Amino acid sequence: MNENEPVPSSYYDTHKNWTNEPTAADKHVYEVFASNIVVLVQLLDDYKTMMSPDVYERLFSSLLALSRLLGEYEDDWSQEYPTP
């Protein structure tokens, strides 16, 4: 693996490596991703009938996986750092 390439996410899953104390950058990037997933899902929904089934399904399943991942961080971070 090239040193400029990120470690595969499966590495973090296997080693149960989760950030418990998010940085300001972690929180900012999380918020941008989370809010834009809604936009992307709506876009897919709007064009579903015009899209090739394989393209639609792959994009939708990728967004679903990303959404679940973000949800895991949100659940953990909200327990550790409740919003006032």
Side-chain angles (χ1 to χ4, degrees), residues 47-79:
Y47 287 91
K48 180 178 181 178
T49 59
M50 295 176 270
M51 294 179 70
S52 303
D54 63 309
V55 174
Y56 173 82
E57 293 298 332
R58 284 185 173 119
L59 292 173
F60 187 82
S61 66
S62 294
L63 287 175
L64 184 59
L66 181 57
S67 179
R68 289 178 177 157
L69 173 69
L70 292 171
E72 289 184 47
Y73 277 113
E74 179 180 26
D75 291 346
D76 188 49
W77 292 350
S78 64
Q79 291 174 9

Side-chain angles (χ1 to χ4, degrees), residues 17-23 26 73 76-77 81:
N17 187 339
W18 290 90
T19 295
N20 293 321
E21 296 181 23
T23 65
D26 292 335
Y73 277 113
D76 188 49
W77 292 350
Y81 304 95

Side-chain angles (χ1 to χ4, degrees), residues 25-56:
D26 292 335
K27 289 181 181 181
H28 176 71
V29 169
Y30 164 84
E31 290 295 332
V32 172
F33 268 76
S35 64
N36 282 296
I37 280 182
V38 173
V39 173
L40 293 170
V41 168
Q42 184 61 53
L43 179 69
L44 284 175
D45 190 48
D46 291 346
Y47 287 91
K48 180 178 181 178
T49 59
M50 295 176 270
M51 294 179 70
S52 303
D54 63 309
V55 174
Y56 173 82

Side-chain angles (χ1 to χ4, degrees), residues 1-16:
M1 180 181 310
N2 184 327
E3 69 182 49
N4 294 328
E5 294 179 17
V7 174
S9 62
S10 60
Y11 170 86
Y12 296 101
D13 294 339
T14 301
H15 292 88
K16 299 185 186 312

